[in-house]
């Protein structure tokens, strides 16, 4: 299959939410995505294309140069054969399936993939892993999601000689907002960064050219475009 990466600005698909929304006089269900994701892609040199969780067809990946799986709601525990925890709320099984199809399609095509927060969780679940449904039960604190709509700050240690280390170095500070995280790691993934409490902060697929999942939210600090820039560079070099 021919690459689209000869274009000067690679096309980057970003998964979106279907949620009730209000604008002007209207209140309807809409496909949503925080603008920060778009700004990150544009600032790094890409063109963002929104991928709503309806009418999913992996052939859309054939017109893309890269894929971002965005953050959002809890992953449905049924997708990894678990009983729901009382704190697991607001799941969207349709979105889970949408992203599962796109993740598998990206892996099949070796399409550069950046999976953010929930995106990392979906990458792990798609490949056969499981999740901690409520991280405070494991680490005994709330620092990864300090309060509603407030991002936490976490320093992560990165494993050397990894894609993650080539992008971020041995240590980096990140913005986080999550109460779920990787538990059992999928066999084809490798953990490449952890928080001080042991929480998995990054994982990658070493058998692919660029497949990286971050538990944090790089779009919340657009003064640091390293992850977006690395995805765009991988998209440009794809052949």
């Amino acid at each position: 299959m021919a690459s689209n990466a000869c274009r000067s600005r690679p096309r980057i698909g970003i998964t979106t939410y279907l949620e009730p929304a209000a604008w002007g006089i209207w209140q309807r269900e809409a496909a949503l995505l925080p603008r920060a994701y778009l700004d990150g892609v544009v600032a790094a040199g890409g063109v963002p294309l929104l991928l709503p969780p309806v009418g999913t067809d992996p052939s859309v990946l054939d017109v893309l140069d890269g894929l971002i799986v965005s953050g959002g709601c809890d992953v449905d525990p049924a997708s990894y054969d678990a009983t729901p925890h009382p704190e697991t709320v607001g799941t969207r099984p349709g979105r889970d399936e949408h992203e599962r199809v796109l993740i598998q399609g990206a892996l099949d095509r070796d399409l550069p993939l950046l999976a953010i927060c929930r995106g990392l969780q979906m990458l792990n679940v798609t490949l056969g892993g499981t999740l901690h449904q409520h991280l405070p039960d494991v680490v005994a604190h709330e620092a990864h999601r300090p309060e509603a709509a407030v991002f936490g700050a976490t320093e992560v240690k990165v494993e050397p000689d990894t894609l993650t280390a080539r992008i971020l170095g041995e240590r980096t500070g990140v913005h986080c907002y999550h109460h779920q995280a990787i538990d059992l790691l999928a066999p084809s993934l490798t953990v490449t960064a952890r928080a001080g409490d042991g929480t998995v902060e990054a994982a990658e697929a070493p058998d692919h050219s660029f497949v990286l999942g971050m538990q944090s939210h790089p779009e919340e600090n657009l003064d640091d475009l390293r992850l977006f820039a690395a995805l765009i560079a991988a998209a440009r070099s794809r052949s």
Side-chain angles (χ1 to χ4, degrees):
M1 175 177 51
S3 170
N4 301 301
C6 59
R7 288 185 296 269
S8 60
R9 293 179 65 83
R11 295 177 178 177
I12 306 299
I14 314 174
T15 62
T16 68
Y17 322 1
L18 274 184
E19 298 290 341
W23 65 99
I25 63 172
W26 304 104
Q27 293 187 356
R28 294 186 177 182
E29 190 173 53
L32 300 176
L33 183 75
R35 176 176 171 167
Y37 288 95
L38 310 179
D39 290 341
V41 168
V42 171
V47 176
L49 299 177
L50 302 188
L51 303 175
V54 293
T56 307
D57 188 326
S59 67
V60 70
L61 300 169
D62 296 336
V63 302
L64 299 178
D65 303 307
L67 175 66
I68 294 174
V69 183
S70 63
C73 60
D74 291 348
V75 176
D76 185 355
S79 63
Y80 50 97
D81 298 323
T83 301
H85 186 285
E87 295 291 332
T88 299
V89 297
T91 58
R92 300 288 189 272
R95 182 181 175 190
D96 293 352
E97 178 61 13
H98 167 70
E99 293 181 345
R100 185 196 67 77
V101 168
L102 294 179
I103 288 169
Q104 189 59 61
L107 294 171
D108 292 343
R109 292 163 173 77
D110 201 26
L111 187 72
L113 168 62
L114 177 61
I116 293 175
C117 194
R118 168 195 155 90
L120 169 58
Q121 297 165 15
M122 278 302 306
L123 174 63
N124 188 56
V125 168
T126 296
L127 293 174
T130 67
L131 303 178
H132 294 299
Q133 290 189 53
H134 192 54
L135 193 55
D137 291 347
V138 180
V139 298
H141 64 77
E142 302 271 359
H144 294 279
R145 189 181 64 174
E147 57 184 289
V150 174
F151 284 85
T154 301
E155 181 171 313
V156 304
K157 181 178 180 182
V158 181
E159 292 295 325
D161 302 318
T162 61
L163 173 63
T164 312
R166 291 196 293 274
I167 299 169
L168 298 177
E170 295 183 358
R171 288 184 177 273
T172 192
V174 299
H175 290 71
C176 60
Y177 190 82
H178 62 102
H179 81 113
Q180 299 194 331
I182 288 178
D183 180 8
L184 177 67
L185 185 72
S188 58
L189 295 179
T190 299
V191 172
T192 55
R194 291 184 184 271
D197 60 15
T199 300
V200 174
E201 291 289 340
E204 58 193 59
D207 292 339
H208 291 77
S209 58
F210 190 103
V211 173
L212 175 58
M214 297 294 301
Q215 185 56 72
S216 55
H217 282 269
E219 80 282 2
E220 290 301 313
N221 179 17
L222 294 182
D223 290 330
D224 182 356
L225 288 171
R226 289 176 293 174
L227 286 162
F228 288 103
L231 175 68
I232 297 301
R236 282 199 173 112
S237 64
R238 182 172 178 251
S239 61

